[in-house]
Amino acid sequence: METPILEMKSITKEFPGVKALDNVTFSVRKGEVHCLVGENGAGKSTLMKVLSGVHAFGTYTGDIFVEGELQKFNGIRDSERAGIAIIYQELALIPELSVYENIFLGNEVSNGIVIDSNESISQAIDILKKVGLDVNPLTKIKNLGVGKQQLVEIAKALKKEVRILILDEPTAALNETDSDNLLQLIRGLKEQGVTCILISHKLREVMEIADTITVLRDGKTVTTLDVEADKVNEPVLIKHMVGRSIDNIFPKRENVNIGEEVLRLEDWSAFSYALGRDILKNVNISVHAGEIVGIAGLMGSGRTELAKSIFGNPDHYRLSGKVFIHGKEQKFRSPHDAIKSSMAYVTEDRKGNGLILIDDVKHNISLANLKEITTGGVINENEEILIANKYRSELNIKTPTIQQKVRNLSGGNQQKVSLGKWLFVKPGIMILDEPTRGIDVGAKYEIYTIMNSLVEQGMSIIMISSELPEVLGMSDRIYVMSAGKINGEMPVEDASQEGIMALAVDY
Amino acid sequence: MEDLKVKSNQAHLSKSLLDIMKTNISEYFMFIALIVIMIFFTITTDGVFISSRNISNLINQMGYIAVLAVGMTLIIVIRHIELSVGYLAGFLGAFSAIALTFWGWPIYAVIPAVMILGILAGLLTATPVAKLGVPAFVSTMAAGLIFRGALLLVTMGTGTIVIRDPVFNAIGNGYIPDIPLGGFLPGKHKLTLIIGLIGIILSILSAIKSRRTKLSYNFQVPSFGLFIAQLVLISGLIGYISWILSGYNGISWSLVILLLVVAVFQFITTKTPLGRHIYAVGGNPEAAELSGISVSKITYIVFAAMGLLSSLSGIMYASRLRSATTTAGLGFETDAIAAAFVGGVSAAGGVGTITGSIIGALVMMSLTSGMNLMNIDISIQYIVRGAVLVLAVVFDRITRRNQ
Ligand SMILES: Nc1ncnc2c1ncn2[C@@H]1O[C@H](COP(=O)(O)OP(=O)(O)OP(=O)(O)O)[C@@H](O)[C@H]1O
Ligand SMILES: [Mg+2]
């Protein structure tokens, strides 16, 4: 057997109170696409950070071999030198800089003193071609969609000689089209001989692209499967990941009981001063008690803007039109007003505007509803601990203690904290913006079950999602947005992926 | 799930004193550094440093900076900076002097009036910041220039204004009265000792109560031995400080004001929703806004508090000098900012405690006092203080990163 291009042997990595990796063995053959799957907090990102030197040699135990050679990476530069490039779960581009400046950030092309922009730009054009991205390298990052930003990240990684490319949930924030492009690109790289390690919670795409799959659970390697030889399919994979089988990813609701209208928008439009254009145009929607309303659409179609504009308009758009809550017109001046009218908004970007990362789990959960645990002006911290522990066990948040800083949780578990925070507000209308982004199948199932039980108790949910199976699987009714307009509305029975996509791309 | 719970409980149980110290090292470090500095100066000055008289002076000198440091902590926690507080304090001190001496206002009218002025000044400075997102650096620098001008303006005709009101002057120079207990403990300030004793009893009672409540919730508490050790340490500390102070004139009015300020702000920041909101805004303003917290409201509140504390600082300083001078307040803001950073505030926002900043102020003031006693030249003093400031912040960064 030929030497694997990468071998990680008996890797153990501990954080205070957490054994993130426990004797993990991971081996990758040259030229393959190797997918790494597992529940939130299983240790996938940590394993890759060990590999790329973010967790330096000496902070873990075990050995890393690249093409048979023992490696001791003390930082990301060392691993780059060995031909390893990593693209993190969170985008790491500088929005105010241009595409080419980002690509060469930290490795500027220069004559020693002055940056050679012309040379950089011409090299950037070549690299952009490699990733199939057709943009002007002088465009600022902030003016690109997420899909294209992701490609720039990859371009940035590819500017040097890369033997192993690691992608940590690259498609989490991408829609189907962009994801497909990315998978296509990975296939292309594979043909050029680049070995890819891909972490993803989207099992369909894992099945589509992987040659080999390694499953991690609780910091241990469960198994490594050869997709063809072992005849792997999604249910098998799920069983390995969560330790039990899940028959229907989208649990059915027992009794659908749709009540009266609780929210209505009439000719709702918004103008963004920051962007200098209309972002919502004459939106008319309604939501009923006990109903899950799905909002589908492409990235940038105005779904998040719609949510924010209803939820007290924190970005200060110029609004026109009317909002009715329980038949009464409301003019929310801030999210505070919206929360008082029993609304909640679980944001799409948990790091950016969902959580206080430097604070701990319990403070984050209680933040939006402190008054519930305050008596005589003083916060009852013991009550707060009880509540945080309640949501921790209800949502199965993996954390050593609720005193853990949210920053130290895995991506999926951060999302659960965000959800717990808003459940504690006990809202009547809940807007969920990409509620299962970056969440593992098991936890997805749990979140769907919670959503079902909430609407069964009469709550209304507006679910913004880029994952069409989720929209189709969970919604009672679906709106499709495109370019700030509602392009279509349909009961779920009449909806199909193709139908929704057709409306979503019709500007 | 069950697994996880068991694991976390074990993690709790196995927590030794050392572990607790390790995880909170950045909080304890400055306290330890303070003690080391004090011991150092005590040795190099043959005990003069720790004498009752010097400690009492040190506290009175520190008072007007420490109250500013309390406010500055909150300002930095919400990711801003306040450069106008020095001149504001100077101006408000001059205002008090004028109201007392030229206008003949009674002291009980002057003090509230000055405090209200301070709050208004804070709100005014905050307006461009909270309303339009003007950087606080610019807004407060501009305000500082204006207050400086105002100070010069009001003291132009008179120059230094001497204050003759004995009650006002007692704020910065006086001590709480003693109770006559005859020949019992001669040379000691009895009331100070009694207050120290009450302080010890209260802190023991509140610790016991908090432990009881925790137990009634079935939460983990530190082991009994550790608990007793903590109580002994705290009681010893309070007892020792009261003993030292009782050896001179007892507790000064400056210290009374400082303790009140610290108590109120410590309570607000750690126990109330307002405190939580302040830290949330500092930690992530966008997330705070979306959680129903008005970032601009919090900004106004914090700047208003800073204004209020500037007025106290101005009063304490004018009272200490028994006069208002044209240069009063010069550089106060720098000292307050330094105290806050030495005390562990982070410019990135959301991190920093009131007690930390008080320790920071004590460290800086001990350095000044100790080096003065050692007759070290002012030039060297500046260099040492600068070095300590940067070392403290560097250490803070390193310990935080390692966590
Ligand atoms: N810097 C850190 N400090 C403390 N604990 C950490 C740190 N980084 C990761 N962990 C913990 O290590 C475990 C593994 O985390 P990791 O991020 O590798 O999970 P993951 O498999 O990538 O999950 P996800 O799918 O949610 O991204 C988690 O329990 C996490 O809380
Ligand atoms: Mg991860």
Side-chain angles (χ1 to χ4, degrees):
Chain A
M1 212 183 104
E2 69 175 309
T3 11
I5 186 162
L6 169 73
E7 263 203 296
M8 300 179 78
K9 281 190 182 157
S10 318
I11 304 285
T12 297
K13 167 82 194 167
E14 283 186 61
F15 296 108
V18 198
K19 202 170 212 177
L21 296 174
D22 186 359
N23 212 1
V24 171
T25 296
F26 180 59
S27 162
V28 180
R29 276 175 300 166
K30 197 174 166 104
E32 69 171 348
V33 174
H34 195 130
C35 285
L36 195 53
V37 299
E39 290 177 291
N40 297 125
K44 307 177 295 293
S45 298
T46 307
L47 186 66
M48 292 303 105
K49 284 183 187 163
V50 166
L51 173 57
S52 62
V54 172
H55 297 313
F57 179 77
T59 65
Y60 60 88
T61 60
D63 295 321
I64 301 175
F65 297 92
V66 176
E67 302 206 270
E69 257 179 68
L70 181 64
Q71 303 287 348
K72 298 176 178 178
F73 299 137
N74 271 318
I76 201 130
R77 297 237 157 198
D78 290 352
S79 66
E80 277 180 1
R81 228 169 279 136
I84 298 172
I86 181 163
I87 291 164
Y88 296 103
Q89 203 159 350
E90 292 79 33
L91 289 174
L93 298 171
I94 313 242
E96 287 294 331
L97 292 183
S98 68
V99 169
Y100 90 89
E101 285 169 319
N102 267 286
I103 290 179
F104 289 104
L105 196 66
N107 289 284
E108 286 76 9
V109 184
S110 70
N111 63 5
I113 300 166
V114 182
I115 292 182
D116 186 342
S117 332
N118 295 328
E119 177 59 26
S120 321
I121 293 170
S122 101
Q123 286 189 21
I125 293 174
D126 288 345
I127 301 170
L128 289 173
K129 238 182 240 151
K130 252 205 239 175
V131 299
L133 181 59
D134 182 23
V135 297
N136 183 339
L138 296 174
T139 323
K140 280 191 180 175
I141 289 294
K142 65 172 182 188
N143 297 327
L144 296 182
V146 232
K148 289 185 173 162
Q149 291 188 11
Q150 190 63 264
L151 293 177
V152 174
E153 279 271 11
I154 297 178
K156 187 175 165 189
L158 290 180
K159 70 176 174 292
K160 273 168 286 171
E161 197 59 29
V162 171
R163 289 190 288 174
I164 305 175
L165 180 66
I166 306 165
L167 301 121
D168 194 349
E169 297 193 43
T171 59
L174 302 191
N175 61 39
E176 314 260 318
T177 329
D178 285 337
S179 299
D180 286 344
N181 283 341
L182 192 99
L183 296 187
Q184 203 51 48
L185 172 65
I186 293 176
R187 284 193 197 96
L189 292 172
K190 180 178 154 184
E191 259 154 43
Q192 294 167 33
V194 178
T195 310
C196 284
I197 301 173
L198 176 75
I199 299 178
S200 178
H201 287 296
K202 296 186 180 172
L203 299 184
R204 211 157 28 94
E205 77 187 26
V206 168
M207 292 307 304
E208 207 177 299
I209 194 142
D211 298 308
T212 312
I213 300 173
T214 292
V215 184
L216 287 186
R217 198 197 309 155
D218 293 332
K220 299 190 187 75
T221 322
V222 176
T223 179
T224 296
L225 304 161
D226 187 308
V227 175
E228 270 174 24
D230 296 332
K231 299 207 177 57
V232 184
N233 56 25
E234 269 189 58
V236 171
L237 208 52
I238 291 173
K239 187 135 193 263
H240 281 301
M241 283 174 67
V242 300
R244 64 191 158 94
S245 39
I246 298 176
D247 299 330
N248 189 353
I249 304 236
F250 303 107
K252 277 281 153 274
R253 223 180 305 161
E254 299 290 299
N255 39 42
V256 179
N257 187 1
I258 294 180
E260 59 182 36
E261 185 181 75
V262 295
L263 174 102
R264 186 170 79 246
L265 294 186
E266 281 181 6
D267 287 330
W268 189 248
S269 301
F271 173 85
S272 160
Y273 294 101
L275 298 174
R277 59 179 167 83
D278 291 313
I279 44 171
L280 296 172
K281 293 165 208 149
N282 294 316
V283 171
N284 289 288
I285 62 169
S286 71
V287 181
H288 300 82
E291 186 181 34
I292 299 180
V293 173
I295 300 190
L298 299 181
M299 212 66 61
S301 58
R303 296 168 305 168
T304 295
E305 289 79 358
L306 175 64
K308 281 191 172 175
S309 69
I310 307 172
F311 192 70
N313 194 21
D315 292 345
H316 307 291
Y317 306 134
R318 190 180 65 215
L319 301 175
S320 66
K322 289 180 176 155
V323 192
F324 295 88
I325 306 278
H326 291 290
K328 250 183 68 191
E329 190 180 352
Q330 297 282 357
K331 285 195 158 67
F332 298 142
R333 290 196 323 278
S334 67
H336 182 72
D337 292 350
I339 294 169
K340 271 206 300 212
S341 290
S342 95
M343 288 186 75
Y345 172 45
V346 182
T347 59
E348 131 191 70
D349 174 9
R350 56 190 168 241
K351 295 210 167 176
N353 57 22
L355 297 168
I356 317 280
L357 292 176
I358 58 167
D359 212 339
D360 61 18
V361 174
K362 66 175 165 23
H363 287 174
N364 269 286
I365 288 180
S366 64
L367 184 64
N369 196 13
L370 280 173
K371 65 175 190 309
E372 171 129 356
I373 49 168
T374 303
T375 32
V378 179
I379 298 171
N380 184 338
E381 290 177 55
N382 296 318
E383 210 55 55
E384 183 174 39
I385 294 175
L386 287 185
I387 284 175
N389 270 323
K390 169 171 163 250
Y391 285 104
R392 172 188 169 190
S393 64
E394 259 175 34
L395 299 172
N396 202 357
I397 302 173
K398 255 187 215 160
T399 172
T401 68
I402 50 167
Q403 277 82 12
Q404 178 77 307
K405 299 257 183 283
V406 171
R407 176 174 46 193
N408 293 338
L409 300 192
S410 78
N413 284 302
Q414 290 177 347
Q415 177 69 357
K416 291 186 191 172
V417 173
S418 187
L419 196 62
K421 160 179 167 177
W422 289 107
L423 287 178
F424 178 46
V425 173
K426 303 184 190 101
I429 305 168
M430 191 157 184
I431 307 175
L432 300 174
D433 200 345
E434 307 284 1
T436 63
R437 171 177 296 172
I439 290 220
D440 70 56
V441 261
K444 262 186 197 163
Y445 181 84
E446 285 161 22
I447 287 176
Y448 296 145
T449 314
I450 291 167
M451 284 169 65
N452 280 343
S453 83
L454 291 173
V455 286
E456 270 168 21
Q457 293 160 32
M459 193 200 269
S460 312
I461 290 179
I462 301 174
M463 180 183 70
I464 298 172
S465 174
S466 300
E467 282 194 56
L468 291 181
E470 174 172 279
V471 173
L472 291 167
M474 291 304 296
S475 314
D476 298 305
R477 208 150 45 84
I478 297 168
Y479 289 101
V480 185
M481 279 191 81
S482 166
K485 293 194 302 282
I486 297 288
N487 248 9
E489 175 197 352
M490 66 207 80
V492 71
E493 298 80 32
D494 302 349
S496 66
Q497 295 215 18
E498 296 73 27
I500 292 176
M501 274 320 277
L503 287 169
V505 297
D506 174 20
Y507 298 111
Chain B
M1 188 54 234
E2 277 311 304
D3 269 17
L4 218 89
K5 257 191 191 151
V6 174
K7 239 193 265 166
S8 77
N9 276 346
Q10 281 167 349
H12 253 296
L13 285 176
S14 66
K15 239 188 190 165
S16 68
L17 184 60
L18 198 72
D19 283 337
I20 297 175
M21 294 283 281
K22 254 190 209 154
T23 47
N24 296 316
I25 180 115
S26 43
E27 277 153 49
Y28 290 108
F29 176 76
M30 262 306 133
F31 185 67
I32 295 165
L34 173 65
I35 294 187
V36 170
I37 291 172
M38 291 186 134
I39 292 175
F40 173 80
F41 283 127
T42 303
I43 294 170
T44 53
T45 60
D46 287 331
V48 177
F49 180 82
I50 204 71
S51 69
S52 297
R53 185 193 160 94
N54 190 53
I55 294 295
S56 182
N57 269 334
L58 188 151
I59 288 174
N60 290 354
Q61 269 166 30
M62 180 186 87
Y64 52 86
I65 296 298
V67 292
L68 286 180
V70 167
M72 195 61 80
T73 308
L74 300 187
I75 296 269
I76 300 175
V77 162
I78 64 164
R79 305 181 174 196
H80 290 308
I81 194 78
E82 228 311 0
L83 300 174
S84 72
V85 293
Y87 291 117
L88 178 58
F91 169 69
L92 291 176
F95 183 90
S96 321
I98 291 169
L100 284 168
T101 36
F102 299 151
W103 304 342
W105 287 17
I107 181 160
Y108 56 81
V110 171
I111 289 179
V114 169
M115 284 163 66
I116 289 168
L117 271 182
I119 292 175
L120 291 178
L123 290 173
L124 196 68
T125 314
T127 304
V129 182
K131 267 243 147 43
L132 301 168
V134 171
F137 188 87
V138 178
S139 175
T140 62
M141 192 161 69
L145 291 172
I146 293 170
F147 296 140
R148 178 170 202 188
L151 171 61
L152 291 176
L153 204 64
V154 295
T155 53
M156 193 156 53
T158 53
T160 299
I161 306 165
V162 177
I163 303 170
R164 300 192 195 286
D165 187 312
V167 180
F168 186 86
N169 287 339
I171 295 172
N173 301 293
Y175 296 82
I176 59 170
D178 198 1
I179 37 172
L181 272 184
F184 180 64
L185 282 177
K188 291 286 173 194
H189 192 272
K190 264 76 79 182
L191 186 56
T192 299
L193 289 176
I194 292 173
I195 290 176
L197 193 65
I198 294 174
I200 291 175
I201 293 171
L202 285 181
S203 64
I204 291 179
L205 287 181
S206 94
I208 292 176
K209 181 161 168 254
S210 140
R211 188 181 167 88
R212 283 236 176 99
T213 341
K214 281 228 171 63
L215 284 173
S216 78
Y217 275 88
N218 278 325
F219 291 162
Q220 289 275 258
V221 289
S223 71
F224 195 68
L226 189 59
F227 176 67
I228 295 294
Q230 276 173 350
L231 285 187
V232 169
L233 194 75
I234 292 171
S235 311
L237 213 62
I238 300 176
Y240 186 59
I241 294 171
S242 332
W243 182 256
I244 290 187
L245 291 178
S246 75
Y248 189 54
N249 285 328
I251 297 175
S252 65
W253 287 114
S254 285
L255 182 57
V256 172
I257 295 175
L258 179 58
L259 287 178
L260 280 177
V261 165
V262 170
V264 169
F265 279 81
Q266 176 74 4
F267 175 78
I268 291 174
T269 51
T270 58
K271 299 280 177 216
T272 68
L274 174 61
R276 274 303 164 73
H277 291 177
I278 290 172
Y279 285 93
V281 166
N284 186 343
E286 262 182 277
E289 185 80 42
L290 284 172
S291 304
I293 300 164
S294 164
V295 175
S296 70
K297 192 171 112 193
I298 295 293
T299 310
Y300 279 121
I301 291 175
V302 169
F303 274 83
M306 181 81 256
L308 174 68
L309 293 169
S310 307
S311 71
L312 289 183
S313 172
I315 290 171
M316 288 162 90
Y317 188 68
S319 158
R320 182 149 182 83
L321 298 189
R322 297 186 172 87
S323 62
T325 66
T326 51
T327 55
L330 192 72
F332 283 13
E333 67 281 356
T334 324
D335 288 342
I337 293 168
F341 276 109
V342 170
V345 192
S346 158
V351 176
T353 60
I354 302 298
T355 44
S357 298
I358 292 297
I359 291 178
L362 270 172
V363 165
M364 295 310 264
M365 195 45 78
S366 300
L367 288 175
T368 309
S369 159
M371 290 189 292
N372 276 339
L373 290 176
M374 288 171 71
N375 282 323
I376 292 175
D377 192 73
I378 187 78
S379 55
I380 305 294
Q381 293 202 14
Y382 277 122
I383 294 173
V384 171
R385 279 163 57 199
V388 167
L389 171 60
V390 79
L391 275 180
V393 178
V394 165
F395 182 84
D396 196 59
R397 294 288 324 164
I398 292 172
T399 48
R400 263 181 227 291
R401 209 178 32 213
N402 284 350
Q403 268 174 36

